[in-house]
Amino acid sequence: MSAVPAAGTPAIEFIGVDKRFPARGTSGEVLAATNVTFAIQPGEVVSIIGPSGCGKSTLLNMGSGLARPSAGTVKVGGHEVSGPNRHVAFMLQKDLLMPWRTIAENVEFGLELRGVKKADRKATSERLLDQCHLTGFGGHYPHQLSGGMRQRAAMARTLAVDPQVLLMDEPFSALDAQTKMILQQDLARTVKEHGKTVLFITHDLVEAVALSDRILVMSERPGTIIEQIPVDIPGRDNPMQRRKHERVGGYVGQLMDLLKLDANTEVH
């Protein structure tokens, strides 16, 4: 599979996708997502929001090749996804760093699996640890770092394999507000500098507005896309500044209406 899609080809695309799972304790099935169709262009950042259990994470699993659709097609760079591929990387809410490996060794793990030479692995980890503000921490172990620093290390590990598409499942949700905003800023800078494509799941409506070119809104299960909202606020590469824009409140209100949230629902 080519690392860079041909001109005009979406970086990642879902076409009429359904996903069914066996129903627990019965012979039936549960339809988790249905008729999901959307395309993300190279370099675009798109967030998905929707009720819990609507199939958001299931879409990322199919995009990464960890699961297959029950119907429809998922493509990366114009090629159908039939299993994990080297041009897609997945970042989760939990950092999943291996506690017996140093931070540098964690960052290098994917490159090690690919047979990259030790000197090249080291050069890549040093560059990314510096980029992710972890200079000097490569020899530390995960338990020696704060939660925010571990997520920085997880981001460095994700970027080390040089994916074209980043699939991110609430990667900052467990962090305090200040650390979350700093990591959002780091992500936005990385996307701009390296031309990465991002599909980002969040329950934080302001985060979705601050980071995204577009926001996809999903229905309750079986999840399907009920709205695609372009974010027409300048400065996607500077989410801290974008958060201050006067139109953010309007977008959040629109998203709340689509999700049928009322004044008693907690929105971060």
Side-chain angles (χ1 to χ4, degrees):
M1 182 187 296
S2 174
V4 180
T9 301
I12 185 167
E13 186 175 14
F14 289 72
I15 306 168
V17 168
D18 291 358
K19 183 59 179 177
R20 294 179 173 83
F21 294 99
R24 186 175 300 177
T26 73
S27 60
E29 292 183 320
V30 173
L31 182 60
T34 186
N35 195 28
V36 175
T37 298
F38 64 89
I40 301 177
Q41 300 305 315
E44 195 177 15
V45 178
V46 174
S47 289
I48 301 180
I49 65 169
S52 295
C54 71
K56 300 185 296 296
S57 296
T58 297
L59 295 183
L60 264 59
N61 286 335
M62 290 187 286
S64 68
L66 296 176
R68 298 292 302 274
S70 304
T73 305
V74 181
K75 294 183 178 182
V76 169
H79 299 269
E80 185 171 354
V81 175
S82 58
N85 73 77
R86 62 188 303 148
H87 305 308
V88 178
F90 210 154
M91 185 172 172
L92 304 172
Q93 179 178 342
K94 295 182 179 180
D95 58 71
L96 299 180
L97 298 173
M98 291 172 279
W100 60 89
R101 295 178 69 115
T102 66
I103 296 303
E105 289 169 345
N106 269 282
V107 173
E108 295 173 23
F109 181 65
L111 298 175
E112 186 178 332
L113 291 178
R114 293 183 180 182
V116 175
K117 293 180 180 179
K118 184 175 181 180
D120 294 335
R121 298 200 307 263
K122 182 179 179 182
T124 297
S125 68
E126 288 179 349
R127 173 177 58 82
L128 288 170
L129 289 173
D130 179 63
Q131 180 180 316
C132 293
H133 310 289
L134 288 171
T135 302
F137 288 94
H140 288 62
Y141 287 87
H143 74 273
Q144 297 175 302
L145 273 60
S146 68
M149 294 173 77
R150 290 195 300 270
Q151 280 300 86
R152 288 183 188 277
M155 186 180 296
R157 179 186 58 193
T158 302
L159 295 171
V161 295
D162 194 26
Q164 289 301 307
V165 178
L166 300 176
L167 304 177
M168 312 187 81
D169 195 346
E170 298 192 77
F172 309 140
S173 62
L175 303 175
D176 64 85
Q178 181 176 339
T179 302
K180 177 189 289 190
M181 286 190 286
I182 293 170
L183 286 177
Q184 290 169 353
Q185 196 81 359
D186 289 344
L187 174 64
R189 186 190 70 245
T190 297
V191 170
K192 180 181 180 181
E193 290 179 357
H194 300 284
K196 303 301 183 186
T197 303
V198 181
L199 181 56
F200 191 99
I201 291 177
T202 182
H203 283 97
D204 183 334
L205 304 186
V206 175
E207 179 174 64
V209 175
L211 287 176
S212 306
D213 295 300
R214 278 186 294 142
I215 302 171
L216 308 181
V217 184
M218 292 188 72
S219 67
E220 293 184 352
R221 191 175 68 198
T224 194
I225 306 299
I226 58 174
E227 194 74 53
Q228 298 195 37
I229 301 174
V231 180
D232 185 22
I233 299 176
R236 190 206 69 186
D237 58 324
N238 190 348
M240 284 192 185
Q241 189 63 36
R242 214 184 203 197
R243 282 173 170 266
K244 303 175 186 178
H245 198 281
E246 62 184 5
R247 293 207 298 274
V248 169
Y251 281 106
V252 171
Q254 182 181 4
L255 295 172
M256 291 179 68
D257 289 343
L258 288 165
L259 294 172
K260 300 179 182 178
L261 302 177
D262 60 30
N264 296 317
T265 305
E266 182 179 354
V267 178
H268 301 285

